[in-house]
Amino acid sequence: MPARLSAGRAVLYGTLVVGTLDALDAIVFFGLRSGARPIRIFQGIAFGLIGPAARQGGLATAALGVFLHYFIAFGIVLTYFLVSRRVRLLTRRPVICGLMYGVAAYAVMNLVVLPLSQVGGPSMPAAPVLANGLLIHMFGVGLPSALFARAARP
């Protein structure tokens, strides 16, 4: 990563990295764990917006799921970036703050976003799913968000 990025590039690159790492994790983890195909994973994301129709939508709803996935990644990266402009600690200590942000992002997704979506209320995931979710959000979501925000620090 370059020493200094513009704000726009930091958010764009951060979104692409976060969205891609998280998507690859889901494809590999759930593919190995339960045989889920990528199209079903992304239809599952679209399910949160359009409900059961996502399962019958084929590639169109999978594409909607990909769009939503990267849109959420954009929101997560942008939030860290904007808050880091006010709270300098977030870019002075990007590793620890990024890891903690990943845990917070995981909690918000599972305790706020998913319950408000068509998916419904929170449930306690199986231990491997919980561990994977926390780890990818710490290292693949929070940490890159923090490092890209730091790369654009004035």
Side-chain angles (χ1 to χ4, degrees), residues 58-147:
L59 288 176
T61 55
L64 174 62
V66 169
F67 170 79
L68 292 170
H69 178 76
Y70 278 92
F71 182 75
I72 291 166
F74 169 73
I76 290 170
V77 171
L78 181 64
T79 298
Y80 192 97
F81 176 83
L82 292 175
V83 174
S84 76
R85 294 303 170 252
R86 296 276 184 202
V87 181
R88 295 304 217 170
L89 176 67
L90 297 178
T91 53
R92 278 197 291 257
R93 300 277 185 253
V95 174
I96 189 68
C97 291
L99 295 174
M100 291 188 319
Y101 183 65
V103 172
Y106 181 80
V108 168
M109 286 301 300
N110 286 280
L111 298 174
V112 178
V113 175
L114 288 176
L116 292 174
S117 76
Q118 294 286 329
V119 172
S123 62
M124 187 61 175
V129 175
L130 175 63
N132 180 72
L134 284 169
L135 289 171
I136 189 57
H137 278 82
M138 290 169 67
F139 292 97
V141 175
L143 185 57
S145 295
L147 294 175

